[in-house]
Structure formats: C-alpha cells, structure tokens
Amino acid sequence: MREIQLLVLVLSGLVGAQQQALMDYLERRLLAIEPLKSCFCLFLHRQDRISLWHEQTSRYASELREFKQQMVAQLEGLDKNKEALRSELDTVGTRVDRVEREMDYLETQNGAQPCVDVDDKLVEQQVTVVKERNKAKYAKLTDCSDMISSIKAMKILKRVGGTKGMWTKDLAGNNGKVFILNGTDEDTVYEFGTVREFTSSQGTSGATSIQLPSAWRGMGHAIYSNQLYYLKQGEEMKLIKYDLQKNIVVDTAVFPVKNQLPVYSLNPETFIDLAVDEEGLWAIYATQENERYISLAKIDPKTLDIQQMWDTPCVRENAEAAFVICGTVYVVYNSKLPSRSRIQCVFDVSDMITNDDAPHVYFPKRYGTHTSLKYSPVEQLLYAWDDGYQILYKLQMKKKLEV
Ligand SMILES: *[C@@H]1O[C@H](CO)[C@@H](O)[C@H](O)[C@H]1NC(C)=O
C-alpha cells in the first residue's frame, strides 16, 4: 500500500514540494531505525549481528544519498525531456520500493526488543519495535515453574449478579477481601471482608459499595495489592489504576496498541484481560494486525508501562477466557452452544512448555460459558464467573520440567 503511494508520488507531477516530502520521509525512516541500535545492543551478545547491523544501516544511508542526487538531477532536466524522464522515474520508483521494503525488514528484524530504559523517542515506535517481539528472551522474576495438571475441585459459592461479570480476591494475597464487579459496563464495585461474609450475605447486602470515577469495559479487571486495574468505558483504550483503600485514581495510561479487537470471541465485551500470576501483571489482548490470534504483554503494575510483548499461537475464535500461571498463558475454549470449557492452547513466555505437551484440561460441565477466570497465585485457585454464579476451581499443579 505504502509502496504504491510512494510510486504515485514519484510519478505524479513531480512538484518540488512533493519530492522534498518523499525524501524527508525516507530520511525520517532511516533516523527512526537508528536509535534502535542502542536498545539492540542491550540485549544482544552476538558481536556479528551488531556489525551486520552497522553495515546495513550505512548501506541504506548511501543508497538514500544516491537516490537524492538522482532526484535533484531529474528535477533540473524536467523541462527538457518528459518521456525519457518518465521511464527513468519508473526505475527510481522501483528502487524506492525496494529501499522501503528492506527498511521494513530491517526494522522488524532488529527492533525486536522491549526497550527498557531507552530514549523517549522509542515509545512512539513501540508498535514497530514489537513486531518481532517473540524473539526477545523473557527474564523471569521468580523461580516458579508450576504448570496446571488438572482441576482438583470445584465449588459453587453463590449466584449474585447477571450473566456477565467478574469476581476476585485481592490477587496479591495480602488481605482476604472479595470483590464483585457485576456486568460489563458498570461503575460500582462490591467489597466483602471475607469469603465467608460473601457467601453468608443476601445478594450484595452487607457489602461495601465502591463508586468508581468511570465505568469499566468488559470483564478483564484485576485487583492486586489494593489496586483495581480496569479498562475505562469508551473508544480509547485507557487503563485506570484505582486505589481501593484511598479511593483515588493513582494512574492512567492509554494502552499503546492500535486497532484493538475483542480478545475472546465468546466474550466480545473484553478488550483487555488483565491477569496476575507469580511474575506480576499481564495484559491479554488482540489487534487487527494479528487478528486471528491472542497477544500478550507484561505490564509494570507500578507505572502501567508495557515491558514486553508476545504474539501467541492461540486463536481468538471460540475462546472464552484465559489466565496466566508462572509466565504461561492458558486459553480456555468453549463453543457457541456452551458445552465443557477446556484449556486448548498454552503459550509459555520462557518456552519451557509448548502447545503440544500441554495438558488438555477440561472443566466440569456447568451452566454457560465463563465470562472471567482469575488466577490467584497465592491460593492456586481460579475465581470464575459463569452465568452469575461465582465458582472456585482448585488447581492441581506439576513442574514444567516434568512434562
Ligand atoms: C448485575 O448486572 C445485571 C445487568 O448486567 C443487572 O440486571 C443486575 O441487577 C446486577 N446485579 C447487581 C446485584 O448489581
């Protein structure tokens, strides 16, 4: 598409200003890939790739210079011979295409890293930078290596609320509180002191109501260390970090990914599913760029910054929910006519388990489909919402290496 636009630009009219714009554009591209080098160096040990990088960059610089000279020469001869000019410009156009394509390639090949601690300029380029993101090695924060082997027990606690919603404990495990977020676009959180208080009360009576400053969107919220993380209702993908004790918004951030899609086809209200595991906070999301599949990002719970991103091999079609355990995403599938939910795709950021050796865990048959599944790393429980029922699943774990 861009190649075609460029070619049109080269051939049409040859107005000086356009020429200049094209050259400026190409130069900007070149400058844009330049700072990636610093980032690249942080992560690569292999000297040979670095020198290859230098070589490629300088080759593009000289190609561009040459191209520029040609353009200037052609501009001068513009009045003399229009026909000859046209055919020459065809050649130039083709070359611009090639330079463009190779630059695209270079950017995706070498811009693989989640540039931590690098220049602000890079933030703008994040979308490009992460194209080849799966190649960067993930540095684990914990030594956890558990993976799910089966569902040991299931307990239905109560039915409060509508078909869709989410319930959870504080997933950092620092208090026993239980939170109910009923519906897909509400702004009132119900808080119970303990699970017992929750199960023994009538509906939401006995709960503390917390009024949020804005409505949430979907069912992908997470509560971690007294902070509620949620996607704000609206077109813009804005994450809110809300302190449930102080009742204030602590931070907000626009999720820096364009053209987002619902993550799970069976629960189209959820655009970002926030998950907590032993490693911290994650965002499960999807974009038009990779529209059949689910993507994953590691989030800094303090600042809401994205630290690293991955494309997973897990499809969105017939997915109902997902959760993360020790850096492995488990995607749960069902069918449009609800049957048994099952884990049918896994993605491990540290590559210890592949989709082939992952256990296909089936959930006990229930009512409809899960609208949310929240993993509590402290308790190794899943907090599930199914057709208004609040369900707990106790997980049986094994070590990843024992696969
Ligand atoms: C939960 O939300 C549903 C609509 O999504 C609504 O009908 C119901 O009254 C709500 N229940 C509570 C307890 O807020």
Side-chain angles (χ1 to χ4, degrees), residues 181-242:
L181 283 85
N182 175 43
T184 60
D185 55 358
E186 306 287 327
D187 61 2
T188 306
V189 179
Y190 298 106
E191 177 191 304
F192 293 89
T194 61
V195 171
R196 184 174 292 271
E197 274 181 33
F198 169 58
T199 50
S200 60
S201 68
Q202 277 288 326
T204 52
S205 67
T208 308
S209 304
I210 301 168
Q211 185 76 35
L212 301 175
S214 53
W216 62 71
R217 182 176 192 181
M219 289 87 65
H221 344 290
I223 294 173
Y224 187 59
S225 288
N226 299 311
Q227 312 294 311
L228 164 66
Y229 297 85
Y230 71 98
L231 181 65
K232 190 182 165 189
Q233 188 65 233
E235 282 310 300
E236 200 182 33
M237 295 290 159
K238 197 174 223 175
L239 288 177
I240 310 280
K241 179 180 174 182
Y242 184 82

Side-chain angles (χ1 to χ4, degrees), residues 8-24:
V8 169
L9 197 65
V10 170
L11 293 175
S12 69
L14 292 163
V15 183
Q18 279 181 347
Q19 297 269 328
Q20 195 54 50
L22 174 62
M23 285 177 217
D24 288 351

Side-chain angles (χ1 to χ4, degrees), residues 250-266:
V250 180
D251 210 347
T252 68
V254 174
F255 197 67
V257 172
K258 279 191 225 155
N259 305 322
Q260 276 188 249
L261 298 172
V263 200
Y264 313 116
S265 79
L266 298 180

Side-chain angles (χ1 to χ4, degrees), residues 240-342:
I240 310 280
K241 179 180 174 182
Y242 184 82
D243 190 311
L244 292 166
Q245 282 183 328
K246 298 183 187 137
N247 292 316
I248 49 164
V249 173
V250 180
D251 210 347
T252 68
V254 174
F255 197 67
V257 172
K258 279 191 225 155
N259 305 322
Q260 276 188 249
L261 298 172
V263 200
Y264 313 116
S265 79
L266 298 180
N267 282 309
E269 298 86 353
T270 298
F271 278 76
I272 298 177
D273 193 7
L274 297 162
V276 171
D277 77 343
E278 296 76 0
E279 293 280 303
L281 186 64
W282 305 81
I284 305 164
Y285 66 98
T287 69
Q288 268 169 27
E289 203 183 55
N290 189 24
E291 64 176 340
R292 281 194 62 213
Y293 299 95
I294 291 171
S295 299
L296 176 72
K298 186 77 196 332
I299 310 253
D300 183 338
K302 291 202 183 72
T303 61
L304 298 176
D305 290 344
I306 290 192
Q307 298 169 318
Q308 197 165 342
M309 298 167 116
W310 297 266
D311 292 328
T312 79
C314 303
V315 297
R316 295 165 53 227
E317 185 67 25
N318 289 329
E320 60 174 22
F323 51 90
V324 185
I325 301 176
C326 289
T328 302
V329 191
Y330 296 83
V331 184
V332 179
Y333 293 86
N334 206 319
S335 40
K336 286 197 184 69
L337 225 65
S339 67
R340 290 182 70 188
S341 304
R342 60 214 166 254

